[in-house]
């Protein structure tokens, strides 16, 4: 019996970070990136069409912030969501709001200038 891959939708407004997230997740044989979205409106349509198992979500998005979007998702189309944001330090108000809205986890974006930070981020992302 073949193991089913975890289907992931990446919601991130930065094209560079979207590409990095796709590359990281595509390396793991247990994950399949089924789509990406630069904002909440496109993400909403892709959630319904693609029905991913997991969504990664940035908090800073154009048109609607990620936490407000997550609250709506959990009401109408509950999806396991991992928040990946530069404004979600552990214990921060944004991290607590993300958990309150239904996030299963919160990860800070890595320092792009540090190879070690990127490696740690990759490991943590795939584990979650």
């Amino acid at each position: 019996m073949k193991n089913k891959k975890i289907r992931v939708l990446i919601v991130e407004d930065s094209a560079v970070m979207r590409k990095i997230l796709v590359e990281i997740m595509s390396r793991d044989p247990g994950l399949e990136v089924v789509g990406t979205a630069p904002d909440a409106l496109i993400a909403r349509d892709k959630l319904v069409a693609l029905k991913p198992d997991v969504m990664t979500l940035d908090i800073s998005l154009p048109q609607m912030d990620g936490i407000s979007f997550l609250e709506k998702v959990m009401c109408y189309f509950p999806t396991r969501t991992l928040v990946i944001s530069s404004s979600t330090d552990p214990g921060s108000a944004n991290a607590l709001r993300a958990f309150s809205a239904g996030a299963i986890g919160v990860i800070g974006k890595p320092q792009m200038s540090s190879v070690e930070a990127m490696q740690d981020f990759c490991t943590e992302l795939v584990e979650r």
Side-chain angles (χ1 to χ4, degrees):
M1 183 173 166
K2 189 176 179 181
N3 288 339
K4 184 182 173 212
K5 290 186 177 190
I6 297 170
R7 297 167 36 86
V8 181
L9 172 65
I10 297 169
V11 183
E12 167 64 53
D13 64 325
S14 163
V16 171
M17 184 54 87
R18 266 196 320 273
K19 183 175 185 209
I20 289 169
L21 292 172
V22 168
E23 287 178 10
I24 291 168
M25 290 187 215
S26 296
R27 287 187 219 142
D28 189 287
L31 300 175
E32 176 186 5
V33 177
V34 294
T36 64
D39 63 48
L41 298 177
I42 293 171
R44 177 196 61 201
D45 294 341
K46 289 195 175 188
L47 270 174
V48 173
L50 301 171
K51 298 174 181 56
D53 301 311
V54 176
M55 171 175 65
T56 67
L57 179 63
D58 188 10
I59 288 180
S60 301
L61 295 172
Q63 301 169 2
M64 178 186 295
D65 73 271
I67 295 174
S68 296
F69 176 62
L70 180 57
E71 291 169 344
K72 291 184 184 307
V73 166
M74 291 307 179
C75 286
Y76 300 105
F77 205 83
T79 303
R80 289 180 285 175
T81 302
L82 178 63
V83 171
I84 302 172
S85 179
S86 56
S87 60
T88 54
D89 293 326
S92 70
N94 278 337
L96 296 175
R97 282 185 61 220
F99 282 118
S100 178
I104 60 169
V106 176
I107 301 176
K109 286 184 182 175
Q111 296 283 337
M112 297 296 194
S113 59
S114 167
V115 173
E116 185 176 296
M118 278 302 292
Q119 289 171 336
D120 291 346
F121 174 77
C122 292
T123 301
E124 183 178 8
L125 178 62
V126 170
E127 285 176 359
R128 296 232 185 163

